[in-house]
Amino acid sequence: MHLHPPLNTPPGDLGQQVLVDATVLSKLPPGTRILSASRHATTHHIETAKLVAQLPDNFIATYLLRASSSPHGKALMRGEFESHSAIHSALPGICPRPVAWGAFKARPNTYYNLRVHTEPTGAHAPADPLRLAAQLAKMHARSRSSEIGAFGFHAATHTGSGAVLTPRVQLDTWEAAFTALLRAALALEADVNGAFDGLDELVELLFAVVVPRLLRGLRIRPTLVHGDLTAANTAAVDGRPGVMVLLPAAVWAHHEYEFGGAGIGAVARAYRRLVPPSEPAQLAGERERLYALRFAVWKSVCFPGSIRYRHAVAEGVADCVRRWVRGPPRQALTAPAPAEEVVEAGEEEDGGQRKTGRRITSRLFSAGK
């Protein structure tokens, strides 16, 4: 379910001291002393605070506390916690260690998740592609040895920093799970942006012809993947293994589903040198094209009314269909030209990237004195 357009924390708010809810404090070891609690970042309706604490053994630990009071805050916070828990269990160290999730005591209908924070090196540099590929290959291999028999995930998760809520799906085949996930994303995109002339027919051909052709009969076991892997969701960190993935939207899937996100091409190429594609190997590129559709759909949901991103969705679906369907309907979609896009009030373009000019007014963490 769509929540609302992306927003960014005004820079002046970062570092502001905040109060920590008693429920969160109860999840830390008894005798822990909070040394500082400061506003860290805000995206959409999720607010983040950085906690520095002195543990009973005098060790100084840093935590990241995220909270949401949106109508879907409970699902979002649980999804983050469950995703981190699954990935951390498969390969400790590849993602921040989760601590707890739940409801604030002092603020009704406000939910949080708490995890250990590892500061990225430099100016949040993306993870080294070779190191990240090796860690992903290890995580995928270890997860396949589990007794998980269903594709999907046992909890709803979110992508785009909370912009898109991905439903809970647990199905026996990857074809069925992928179909359910992509159908939900496309339905959400249509709900947010309205009908797109000519797209519905091609979407049905996508699911009737292309998905079965590429996914039916794959001999694969459910593999745990990050689910929303982009360069922005990776980081270089000090120590071993030197890389970390952030903000996962975990799903038990085909391991090739891991890729297709922005800025991950070098990681994908390094990964393929370590892990061969599933058979039929000659269709690996076609499967990647199909899997990448979700990122275009999520982008369109994150930016309601964007002709450019809607055009990318339409062209992505059309491209997949035209590669496998012969004869009508093969006509080009009547997609609006990207040049027609109008930047909405309060927003400006900066080097091709949309930036919001709207100010966050929500305050889930009370300001400290």
Side-chain angles (χ1 to χ4, degrees):
M1 182 172 292
H2 179 257
L3 301 171
H4 53 68
L7 301 174
N8 297 315
T9 300
D13 287 350
L14 297 180
Q16 179 188 19
Q17 292 299 299
V18 299
L19 301 178
V20 182
D21 191 87
T23 301
V24 176
L25 296 176
S26 72
K27 303 300 181 182
L28 300 175
T32 295
R33 186 165 65 95
I34 300 296
L35 301 180
S36 68
S38 56
R39 197 175 304 282
H40 190 62
T42 298
T43 55
H44 299 275
H45 53 282
I46 299 176
E47 295 195 43
T48 307
K50 178 180 175 181
L51 313 183
V52 178
Q54 183 176 15
L55 303 184
D57 61 1
N58 292 323
F59 179 79
I60 304 300
T62 306
Y63 299 91
L64 209 61
L65 174 63
R66 286 164 62 83
S68 176
S69 60
S70 82
H72 312 288
K74 183 177 182 179
L76 297 182
M77 295 299 99
R78 183 195 173 196
E80 281 196 12
F81 176 81
E82 298 290 353
S83 291
H84 281 87
S85 295
I87 289 177
H88 190 270
S89 294
L91 186 62
I94 196 174
C95 76
R97 180 174 64 82
V99 177
W101 83 278
F104 278 171
K105 182 177 181 180
R107 289 182 177 268
N109 302 315
T110 300
Y111 297 87
Y112 74 91
N113 80 78
L114 180 69
R115 57 180 178 263
V116 173
H117 178 60
T118 301
E119 198 70 44
T121 59
H124 197 136
D128 175 79
L130 297 179
R131 287 187 175 186
L132 181 56
Q135 291 301 301
L136 289 172
K138 186 182 296 185
M139 181 184 83
H140 293 169
R142 289 186 178 183
S143 71
R144 276 193 291 271
S145 65
S146 73
E147 297 182 357
I148 296 293
F151 292 91
F153 201 62
H154 63 276
T157 60
H158 73 81
T159 61
S161 296
V164 184
L165 192 64
T166 300
R168 173 184 178 273
V169 167
Q170 288 184 292
L171 295 168
D172 291 336
T173 69
W174 172 231
E175 178 190 352
F178 174 82
T179 297
L181 291 170
L182 187 57
R183 275 197 182 277
L186 286 164
L188 170 60
E189 200 279 336
D191 181 60
V192 169
N193 290 308
F196 197 115
D197 184 40
L199 183 59
D200 287 349
E201 187 176 8
L202 287 172
V203 166
E204 291 311 311
L205 284 170
L206 180 79
F207 289 116
V209 178
V210 181
V211 171
R213 177 68 180 84
L214 295 180
L215 304 187
R216 186 168 297 173
L218 285 177
R219 296 184 177 182
I220 57 174
R221 286 180 54 83
T223 299
L224 185 66
V225 302
H226 178 284
D228 188 19
L229 192 66
T230 63
N233 283 344
T234 72
V237 295
D238 291 328
R240 298 175 63 91
V243 295
M244 183 171 283
V245 295
L246 310 170
L247 298 177
V251 57
W252 292 91
H254 181 200
H255 69 272
E256 294 174 12
Y257 186 70
E258 189 73 274
F259 304 105
I264 295 298
V267 181
R269 290 189 292 273
Y271 180 91
R272 293 187 196 104
R273 292 194 289 269
L274 300 172
V275 181
S278 300
E279 295 294 340
Q282 66 270 23
L283 296 182
E286 300 296 322
R287 293 191 295 264
E288 182 175 342
R289 180 176 288 102
L290 177 65
Y291 294 161
L293 273 178
R294 73 189 191 274
F295 290 99
V297 176
W298 293 343
K299 197 76 165 181
S300 185
V301 173
C302 288
F303 293 90
S306 169
I307 295 174
R308 180 175 55 195
Y309 294 132
R310 294 219 78 191
H311 185 84
V313 172
E315 287 303 311
V317 172
D319 184 46
C320 286
V321 169
R322 292 182 189 126
R323 300 174 75 87
W324 295 98
V325 176
R326 298 292 180 264
R330 297 187 66 201
Q331 68 276 18
L333 289 176
T334 55
E340 297 177 10
E341 180 159 15
V342 176
V343 177
E344 298 177 2
E347 295 183 338
E348 58 182 4
E349 293 289 341
D350 180 18
Q353 298 296 317
R354 175 173 295 191
K355 303 178 84 174
T356 181
R358 285 173 289 183
R359 181 178 179 83
I360 289 286
T361 56
S362 168
R363 287 291 176 264
L364 302 185
F365 305 124
S366 300
K369 296 181 180 180

mmCIF file of all heavy atoms in Angstrom, residues 56-100:
data_model
loop_
_atom_site.group_PDB
_atom_site.id
_atom_site.type_symbol
_atom_site.label_atom_id
_atom_site.label_comp_id
_atom_site.label_asym_id
_atom_site.label_seq_id
_atom_site.Cartn_x
_atom_site.Cartn_y
_atom_site.Cartn_z
ATOM 1 N N PRO A 56 26.373 -2.311 30.718
ATOM 2 C CA PRO A 56 26.827 -2.603 32.083
ATOM 3 C C PRO A 56 28.315 -2.938 32.197
ATOM 4 O O PRO A 56 28.930 -2.692 33.238
ATOM 5 C CB PRO A 56 25.959 -3.796 32.481
ATOM 6 C CG PRO A 56 24.714 -3.631 31.681
ATOM 7 C CD PRO A 56 25.159 -3.070 30.373
ATOM 8 N N ASP A 57 28.904 -3.492 31.121
ATOM 9 C CA ASP A 57 30.331 -3.820 31.162
ATOM 10 C C ASP A 57 31.198 -2.650 30.688
ATOM 11 O O ASP A 57 32.390 -2.830 30.403
ATOM 12 C CB ASP A 57 30.621 -5.063 30.314
ATOM 13 C CG ASP A 57 30.254 -4.866 28.851
ATOM 14 O OD1 ASP A 57 29.787 -3.758 28.497
ATOM 15 O OD2 ASP A 57 30.422 -5.809 28.059
ATOM 16 N N ASN A 58 30.571 -1.452 30.574
ATOM 17 C CA ASN A 58 31.228 -0.212 30.158
ATOM 18 C C ASN A 58 31.524 -0.136 28.664
ATOM 19 O O ASN A 58 32.122 0.831 28.193
ATOM 20 C CB ASN A 58 32.527 0.037 30.936
ATOM 21 C CG ASN A 58 32.249 0.344 32.399
ATOM 22 O OD1 ASN A 58 31.256 1.011 32.731
ATOM 23 N ND2 ASN A 58 33.103 -0.160 33.281
ATOM 24 N N PHE A 59 31.091 -1.132 27.909
ATOM 25 C CA PHE A 59 31.245 -1.079 26.453
ATOM 26 C C PHE A 59 30.301 -0.006 25.898
ATOM 27 O O PHE A 59 29.140 0.091 26.319
ATOM 28 C CB PHE A 59 30.923 -2.439 25.830
ATOM 29 C CG PHE A 59 31.032 -2.466 24.333
ATOM 30 C CD1 PHE A 59 32.273 -2.573 23.721
ATOM 31 C CD2 PHE A 59 29.889 -2.382 23.540
ATOM 32 C CE1 PHE A 59 32.368 -2.600 22.332
ATOM 33 C CE2 PHE A 59 29.990 -2.409 22.152
ATOM 34 C CZ PHE A 59 31.233 -2.523 21.556
ATOM 35 N N ILE A 60 30.771 0.795 24.952
ATOM 36 C CA ILE A 60 29.959 1.836 24.326
ATOM 37 C C ILE A 60 29.348 1.262 23.045
ATOM 38 O O ILE A 60 30.076 0.881 22.127
ATOM 39 C CB ILE A 60 30.778 3.090 24.012
ATOM 40 C CG1 ILE A 60 31.462 3.608 25.277
ATOM 41 C CG2 ILE A 60 29.887 4.168 23.397
ATOM 42 C CD1 ILE A 60 30.501 3.983 26.394
ATOM 43 N N ALA A 61 28.023 1.185 23.017
ATOM 44 C CA ALA A 61 27.304 0.632 21.865
ATOM 45 C C ALA A 61 26.470 1.720 21.196
ATOM 46 O O ALA A 61 25.986 2.639 21.865
ATOM 47 C CB ALA A 61 26.406 -0.517 22.310
ATOM 48 N N THR A 62 26.315 1.595 19.889
ATOM 49 C CA THR A 62 25.493 2.535 19.127
ATOM 50 C C THR A 62 24.321 1.776 18.507
ATOM 51 O O THR A 62 24.495 0.694 17.938
ATOM 52 C CB THR A 62 26.313 3.213 18.020
ATOM 53 O OG1 THR A 62 27.475 3.803 18.598
ATOM 54 C CG2 THR A 62 25.503 4.292 17.330
ATOM 55 N N TYR A 63 23.144 2.351 18.619
ATOM 56 C CA TYR A 63 21.930 1.729 18.090
ATOM 57 C C TYR A 63 21.221 2.699 17.144
ATOM 58 O O TYR A 63 21.355 3.929 17.264
ATOM 59 C CB TYR A 63 20.962 1.357 19.212
ATOM 60 C CG TYR A 63 21.512 0.368 20.208
ATOM 61 C CD1 TYR A 63 22.173 0.808 21.354
ATOM 62 C CD2 TYR A 63 21.369 -0.993 20.016
ATOM 63 C CE1 TYR A 63 22.675 -0.092 22.275
ATOM 64 C CE2 TYR A 63 21.871 -1.903 20.933
ATOM 65 C CZ TYR A 63 22.524 -1.449 22.060
ATOM 66 O OH TYR A 63 23.016 -2.344 22.974
ATOM 67 N N LEU A 64 20.436 2.135 16.240
ATOM 68 C CA LEU A 64 19.579 2.927 15.369
ATOM 69 C C LEU A 64 18.135 2.590 15.711
ATOM 70 O O LEU A 64 17.735 1.415 15.696
ATOM 71 C CB LEU A 64 19.864 2.610 13.904
ATOM 72 C CG LEU A 64 19.611 3.747 12.906
ATOM 73 C CD1 LEU A 64 20.504 4.938 13.219
ATOM 74 C CD2 LEU A 64 19.854 3.275 11.482
ATOM 75 N N LEU A 65 17.365 3.610 16.032
ATOM 76 C CA LEU A 65 15.965 3.453 16.411
ATOM 77 C C LEU A 65 15.112 4.081 15.321
ATOM 78 O O LEU A 65 15.260 5.263 15.013
ATOM 79 C CB LEU A 65 15.697 4.139 17.749
ATOM 80 C CG LEU A 65 14.249 4.192 18.233
ATOM 81 C CD1 LEU A 65 13.710 2.784 18.481
ATOM 82 C CD2 LEU A 65 14.147 5.045 19.490
ATOM 83 N N ARG A 66 14.225 3.296 14.722
ATOM 84 C CA ARG A 66 13.324 3.788 13.678
ATOM 85 C C ARG A 66 11.895 3.641 14.164
ATOM 86 O O ARG A 66 11.560 2.654 14.839
ATOM 87 C CB ARG A 66 13.552 3.027 12.370
ATOM 88 C CG ARG A 66 14.834 3.449 11.671
ATOM 89 C CD ARG A 66 15.269 2.470 10.613
ATOM 90 N NE ARG A 66 14.326 2.290 9.521
ATOM 91 C CZ ARG A 66 14.237 3.103 8.461
ATOM 92 N NH1 ARG A 66 15.010 4.182 8.362
ATOM 93 N NH2 ARG A 66 13.386 2.839 7.487
ATOM 94 N N ALA A 67 11.049 4.611 13.834
ATOM 95 C CA ALA A 67 9.676 4.605 14.338
ATOM 96 C C ALA A 67 8.717 5.167 13.312
ATOM 97 O O ALA A 67 9.093 5.987 12.464
ATOM 98 C CB ALA A 67 9.590 5.409 15.636
ATOM 99 N N SER A 68 7.462 4.710 13.387
ATOM 100 C CA SER A 68 6.424 5.188 12.477
ATOM 101 C C SER A 68 5.080 5.195 13.184
ATOM 102 O O SER A 68 4.748 4.256 13.908
ATOM 103 C CB SER A 68 6.339 4.297 11.235
ATOM 104 O OG SER A 68 5.268 4.700 10.399
ATOM 105 N N SER A 69 4.313 6.256 12.959
ATOM 106 C CA SER A 69 2.947 6.338 13.489
ATOM 107 C C SER A 69 1.930 6.289 12.364
ATOM 108 O O SER A 69 0.767 6.613 12.565
ATOM 109 C CB SER A 69 2.769 7.628 14.301
ATOM 110 O OG SER A 69 3.004 8.762 13.483
ATOM 111 N N SER A 70 2.356 5.903 11.162
ATOM 112 C CA SER A 70 1.432 5.834 10.028
ATOM 113 C C SER A 70 0.442 4.692 10.252
ATOM 114 O O SER A 70 0.646 3.822 11.112
ATOM 115 C CB SER A 70 2.202 5.586 8.736
ATOM 116 O OG SER A 70 2.485 4.203 8.584
ATOM 117 N N PRO A 71 -0.649 4.653 9.482
ATOM 118 C CA PRO A 71 -1.605 3.542 9.614
ATOM 119 C C PRO A 71 -0.964 2.177 9.397
ATOM 120 O O PRO A 71 -1.495 1.168 9.849
ATOM 121 C CB PRO A 71 -2.646 3.854 8.530
ATOM 122 C CG PRO A 71 -2.563 5.329 8.338
ATOM 123 C CD PRO A 71 -1.116 5.669 8.527
ATOM 124 N N HIS A 72 0.156 2.147 8.699
ATOM 125 C CA HIS A 72 0.838 0.878 8.419
ATOM 126 C C HIS A 72 2.155 0.771 9.167
ATOM 127 O O HIS A 72 2.995 -0.059 8.843
ATOM 128 C CB HIS A 72 1.055 0.747 6.912
ATOM 129 C CG HIS A 72 -0.167 1.040 6.120
ATOM 130 N ND1 HIS A 72 -1.233 0.184 6.087
ATOM 131 C CD2 HIS A 72 -0.516 2.119 5.387
ATOM 132 C CE1 HIS A 72 -2.192 0.723 5.339
ATOM 133 N NE2 HIS A 72 -1.782 1.890 4.915
ATOM 134 N N GLY A 73 2.310 1.608 10.187
ATOM 135 C CA GLY A 73 3.561 1.623 10.925
ATOM 136 C C GLY A 73 3.906 0.292 11.562
ATOM 137 O O GLY A 73 5.069 -0.114 11.579
ATOM 138 N N LYS A 74 2.905 -0.397 12.070
ATOM 139 C CA LYS A 74 3.159 -1.688 12.710
ATOM 140 C C LYS A 74 3.744 -2.682 11.714
ATOM 141 O O LYS A 74 4.724 -3.379 12.005
ATOM 142 C CB LYS A 74 1.867 -2.235 13.327
ATOM 143 C CG LYS A 74 2.051 -3.540 14.064
ATOM 144 C CD LYS A 74 0.739 -3.984 14.720
ATOM 145 C CE LYS A 74 0.925 -5.268 15.519
ATOM 146 N NZ LYS A 74 -0.349 -5.682 16.187
ATOM 147 N N ALA A 75 3.137 -2.750 10.515
ATOM 148 C CA ALA A 75 3.628 -3.672 9.490
ATOM 149 C C ALA A 75 5.025 -3.277 9.027
ATOM 150 O O ALA A 75 5.884 -4.140 8.797
ATOM 151 C CB ALA A 75 2.668 -3.702 8.307
ATOM 152 N N LEU A 76 5.265 -1.979 8.887
ATOM 153 C CA LEU A 76 6.575 -1.527 8.427
ATOM 154 C C LEU A 76 7.675 -1.886 9.412
ATOM 155 O O LEU A 76 8.740 -2.385 9.037
ATOM 156 C CB LEU A 76 6.554 -0.020 8.200
ATOM 157 C CG LEU A 76 5.604 0.522 7.127
ATOM 158 C CD1 LEU A 76 5.751 2.018 7.009
ATOM 159 C CD2 LEU A 76 5.866 -0.141 5.788
ATOM 160 N N MET A 77 7.425 -1.607 10.689
ATOM 161 C CA MET A 77 8.450 -1.858 11.697
ATOM 162 C C MET A 77 8.679 -3.357 11.904
ATOM 163 O O MET A 77 9.813 -3.803 12.067
ATOM 164 C CB MET A 77 8.077 -1.171 13.011
ATOM 165 C CG MET A 77 8.053 0.362 12.927
ATOM 166 S SD MET A 77 9.660 1.090 12.483
ATOM 167 C CE MET A 77 9.437 1.398 10.717
ATOM 168 N N ARG A 78 7.601 -4.125 11.871
ATOM 169 C CA ARG A 78 7.788 -5.568 11.987
ATOM 170 C C ARG A 78 8.538 -6.113 10.774
ATOM 171 O O ARG A 78 9.433 -6.961 10.904
ATOM 172 C CB ARG A 78 6.436 -6.279 12.117
ATOM 173 C CG ARG A 78 6.630 -7.782 12.320
ATOM 174 C CD ARG A 78 5.388 -8.604 12.115
ATOM 175 N NE ARG A 78 5.729 -10.022 12.174
ATOM 176 C CZ ARG A 78 4.947 -11.003 11.738
ATOM 177 N NH1 ARG A 78 3.765 -10.728 11.224
ATOM 178 N NH2 ARG A 78 5.344 -12.260 11.820
ATOM 179 N N GLY A 79 8.175 -5.619 9.573
ATOM 180 C CA GLY A 79 8.840 -6.091 8.362
ATOM 181 C C GLY A 79 10.332 -5.819 8.376
ATOM 182 O O GLY A 79 11.134 -6.665 7.984
ATOM 183 N N GLU A 80 10.725 -4.626 8.838
ATOM 184 C CA GLU A 80 12.153 -4.321 8.947
ATOM 185 C C GLU A 80 12.842 -5.272 9.913
ATOM 186 O O GLU A 80 13.923 -5.800 9.627
ATOM 187 C CB GLU A 80 12.352 -2.880 9.428
ATOM 188 C CG GLU A 80 12.170 -1.833 8.362
ATOM 189 C CD GLU A 80 12.739 -0.486 8.781
ATOM 190 O OE1 GLU A 80 13.469 -0.428 9.794
ATOM 191 O OE2 GLU A 80 12.468 0.505 8.083
ATOM 192 N N PHE A 81 12.214 -5.489 11.067
ATOM 193 C CA PHE A 81 12.818 -6.364 12.079
ATOM 194 C C PHE A 81 12.943 -7.795 11.559
ATOM 195 O O PHE A 81 14.005 -8.431 11.704
ATOM 196 C CB PHE A 81 11.985 -6.337 13.359
ATOM 197 C CG PHE A 81 12.489 -7.275 14.421
ATOM 198 C CD1 PHE A 81 13.551 -6.917 15.240
ATOM 199 C CD2 PHE A 81 11.914 -8.523 14.593
ATOM 200 C CE1 PHE A 81 14.033 -7.782 16.206
ATOM 201 C CE2 PHE A 81 12.381 -9.399 15.560
ATOM 202 C CZ PHE A 81 13.442 -9.030 16.370
ATOM 203 N N GLU A 82 11.866 -8.315 10.969
ATOM 204 C CA GLU A 82 11.892 -9.701 10.483
ATOM 205 C C GLU A 82 12.890 -9.864 9.340
ATOM 206 O O GLU A 82 13.564 -10.892 9.233
ATOM 207 C CB GLU A 82 10.491 -10.123 10.035
ATOM 208 C CG GLU A 82 9.439 -10.116 11.138
ATOM 209 C CD GLU A 82 9.639 -11.227 12.170
ATOM 210 O OE1 GLU A 82 10.526 -12.085 11.965
ATOM 211 O OE2 GLU A 82 8.907 -11.239 13.172
ATOM 212 N N SER A 83 13.002 -8.862 8.467
ATOM 213 C CA SER A 83 13.966 -8.933 7.369
ATOM 214 C C SER A 83 15.394 -8.966 7.894
ATOM 215 O O SER A 83 16.217 -9.790 7.478
ATOM 216 C CB SER A 83 13.783 -7.742 6.427
ATOM 217 O OG SER A 83 12.570 -7.829 5.712
ATOM 218 N N HIS A 84 15.700 -8.055 8.816
ATOM 219 C CA HIS A 84 17.043 -8.048 9.405
ATOM 220 C C HIS A 84 17.319 -9.355 10.150
ATOM 221 O O HIS A 84 18.433 -9.886 10.093
ATOM 222 C CB HIS A 84 17.199 -6.868 10.363
ATOM 223 C CG HIS A 84 17.464 -5.564 9.680
ATOM 224 N ND1 HIS A 84 16.456 -4.752 9.223
ATOM 225 C CD2 HIS A 84 18.631 -4.928 9.370
ATOM 226 C CE1 HIS A 84 16.983 -3.671 8.659
ATOM 227 N NE2 HIS A 84 18.299 -3.746 8.735
ATOM 228 N N SER A 85 16.315 -9.865 10.853
ATOM 229 C CA SER A 85 16.511 -11.092 11.624
ATOM 230 C C SER A 85 16.838 -12.267 10.711
ATOM 231 O O SER A 85 17.753 -13.059 10.994
ATOM 232 C CB SER A 85 15.245 -11.403 12.437
ATOM 233 O OG SER A 85 15.018 -10.412 13.406
ATOM 234 N N ALA A 86 16.105 -12.391 9.602
ATOM 235 C CA ALA A 86 16.334 -13.506 8.686
ATOM 236 C C ALA A 86 17.720 -13.421 8.056
ATOM 237 O O ALA A 86 18.452 -14.416 7.989
ATOM 238 C CB ALA A 86 15.247 -13.522 7.610
ATOM 239 N N ILE A 87 18.096 -12.243 7.599
ATOM 240 C CA ILE A 87 19.383 -12.083 6.928
ATOM 241 C C ILE A 87 20.536 -12.226 7.916
ATOM 242 O O ILE A 87 21.550 -12.880 7.624
ATOM 243 C CB ILE A 87 19.425 -10.733 6.186
ATOM 244 C CG1 ILE A 87 18.499 -10.791 4.975
ATOM 245 C CG2 ILE A 87 20.848 -10.375 5.760
ATOM 246 C CD1 ILE A 87 18.386 -9.514 4.195
ATOM 247 N N HIS A 88 20.381 -11.656 9.105
ATOM 248 C CA HIS A 88 21.435 -11.780 10.114
ATOM 249 C C HIS A 88 21.607 -13.232 10.551
ATOM 250 O O HIS A 88 22.723 -13.679 10.831
ATOM 251 C CB HIS A 88 21.117 -10.902 11.318
ATOM 252 C CG HIS A 88 22.245 -10.781 12.295
ATOM 253 N ND1 HIS A 88 22.410 -11.645 13.356
ATOM 254 C CD2 HIS A 88 23.290 -9.917 12.350
ATOM 255 C CE1 HIS A 88 23.492 -11.297 14.024
ATOM 256 N NE2 HIS A 88 24.042 -10.271 13.447
ATOM 257 N N SER A 89 20.511 -13.982 10.602
ATOM 258 C CA SER A 89 20.609 -15.401 10.959
ATOM 259 C C SER A 89 21.331 -16.195 9.882
ATOM 260 O O SER A 89 22.091 -17.118 10.184
ATOM 261 C CB SER A 89 19.205 -15.979 11.180
ATOM 262 O OG SER A 89 18.590 -15.395 12.304
ATOM 263 N N ALA A 90 21.086 -15.841 8.620
ATOM 264 C CA ALA A 90 21.736 -16.563 7.522
ATOM 265 C C ALA A 90 23.225 -16.261 7.451
ATOM 266 O O ALA A 90 24.037 -17.151 7.202
ATOM 267 C CB ALA A 90 21.059 -16.194 6.197
ATOM 268 N N LEU A 91 23.589 -14.988 7.689
ATOM 269 C CA LEU A 91 25.000 -14.605 7.615
ATOM 270 C C LEU A 91 25.246 -13.416 8.545
ATOM 271 O O LEU A 91 25.126 -12.258 8.143
ATOM 272 C CB LEU A 91 25.381 -14.230 6.173
ATOM 273 C CG LEU A 91 26.876 -13.955 5.937
ATOM 274 C CD1 LEU A 91 27.705 -15.205 6.242
ATOM 275 C CD2 LEU A 91 27.113 -13.501 4.510
ATOM 276 N N PRO A 92 25.580 -13.687 9.793
ATOM 277 C CA PRO A 92 25.835 -12.591 10.746
ATOM 278 C C PRO A 92 26.900 -11.633 10.217
ATOM 279 O O PRO A 92 27.917 -12.060 9.667
ATOM 280 C CB PRO A 92 26.314 -13.320 12.004
ATOM 281 C CG PRO A 92 25.715 -14.685 11.897
ATOM 282 C CD PRO A 92 25.721 -15.015 10.429
ATOM 283 N N GLY A 93 26.637 -10.353 10.386
ATOM 284 C CA GLY A 93 27.596 -9.348 9.959
ATOM 285 C C GLY A 93 27.294 -8.712 8.628
ATOM 286 O O GLY A 93 27.807 -7.628 8.326
ATOM 287 N N ILE A 94 26.440 -9.340 7.806
ATOM 288 C CA ILE A 94 26.153 -8.753 6.502
ATOM 289 C C ILE A 94 25.110 -7.656 6.592
ATOM 290 O O ILE A 94 24.954 -6.851 5.686
ATOM 291 C CB ILE A 94 25.703 -9.825 5.480
ATOM 292 C CG1 ILE A 94 25.791 -9.255 4.054
ATOM 293 C CG2 ILE A 94 24.311 -10.332 5.795
ATOM 294 C CD1 ILE A 94 25.506 -10.265 2.971
ATOM 295 N N CYS A 95 24.382 -7.594 7.707
ATOM 296 C CA CYS A 95 23.424 -6.523 7.937
ATOM 297 C C CYS A 95 23.453 -6.156 9.414
ATOM 298 O O CYS A 95 23.976 -6.918 10.234
ATOM 299 C CB CYS A 95 22.009 -6.925 7.502
ATOM 300 S SG CYS A 95 21.165 -8.041 8.635
ATOM 301 N N PRO A 96 22.927 -5.008 9.781
ATOM 302 C CA PRO A 96 22.901 -4.637 11.202
ATOM 303 C C PRO A 96 22.146 -5.676 12.037
ATOM 304 O O PRO A 96 21.132 -6.222 11.593
ATOM 305 C CB PRO A 96 22.155 -3.292 11.194
ATOM 306 C CG PRO A 96 22.390 -2.739 9.823
ATOM 307 C CD PRO A 96 22.391 -3.936 8.917
ATOM 308 N N ARG A 97 22.627 -5.928 13.253
ATOM 309 C CA ARG A 97 21.979 -6.927 14.122
ATOM 310 C C ARG A 97 20.695 -6.344 14.724
ATOM 311 O O ARG A 97 20.726 -5.300 15.371
ATOM 312 C CB ARG A 97 22.920 -7.356 15.241
ATOM 313 C CG ARG A 97 22.303 -8.395 16.200
ATOM 314 C CD ARG A 97 23.320 -8.904 17.194
ATOM 315 N NE ARG A 97 23.816 -7.868 18.090
ATOM 316 C CZ ARG A 97 23.173 -7.463 19.192
ATOM 317 N NH1 ARG A 97 22.000 -7.994 19.518
ATOM 318 N NH2 ARG A 97 23.696 -6.534 19.964
ATOM 319 N N PRO A 98 19.550 -7.008 14.497
ATOM 320 C CA PRO A 98 18.301 -6.511 15.069
ATOM 321 C C PRO A 98 18.240 -6.773 16.566
ATOM 322 O O PRO A 98 18.793 -7.766 17.055
ATOM 323 C CB PRO A 98 17.230 -7.310 14.320
ATOM 324 C CG PRO A 98 17.913 -8.595 13.972
ATOM 325 C CD PRO A 98 19.359 -8.245 13.717
ATOM 326 N N VAL A 99 17.562 -5.890 17.282
ATOM 327 C CA VAL A 99 17.425 -6.028 18.732
ATOM 328 C C VAL A 99 15.985 -6.286 19.134
ATOM 329 O O VAL A 99 15.684 -7.239 19.847
ATOM 330 C CB VAL A 99 17.961 -4.769 19.450
ATOM 331 C CG1 VAL A 99 17.742 -4.879 20.968
ATOM 332 C CG2 VAL A 99 19.441 -4.564 19.142
ATOM 333 N N ALA A 100 15.067 -5.454 18.671
ATOM 334 C CA ALA A 100 13.672 -5.601 19.080
ATOM 335 C C ALA A 100 12.777 -4.749 18.196
ATOM 336 O O ALA A 100 13.235 -3.847 17.486
ATOM 337 C CB ALA A 100 13.496 -5.172 20.541
#
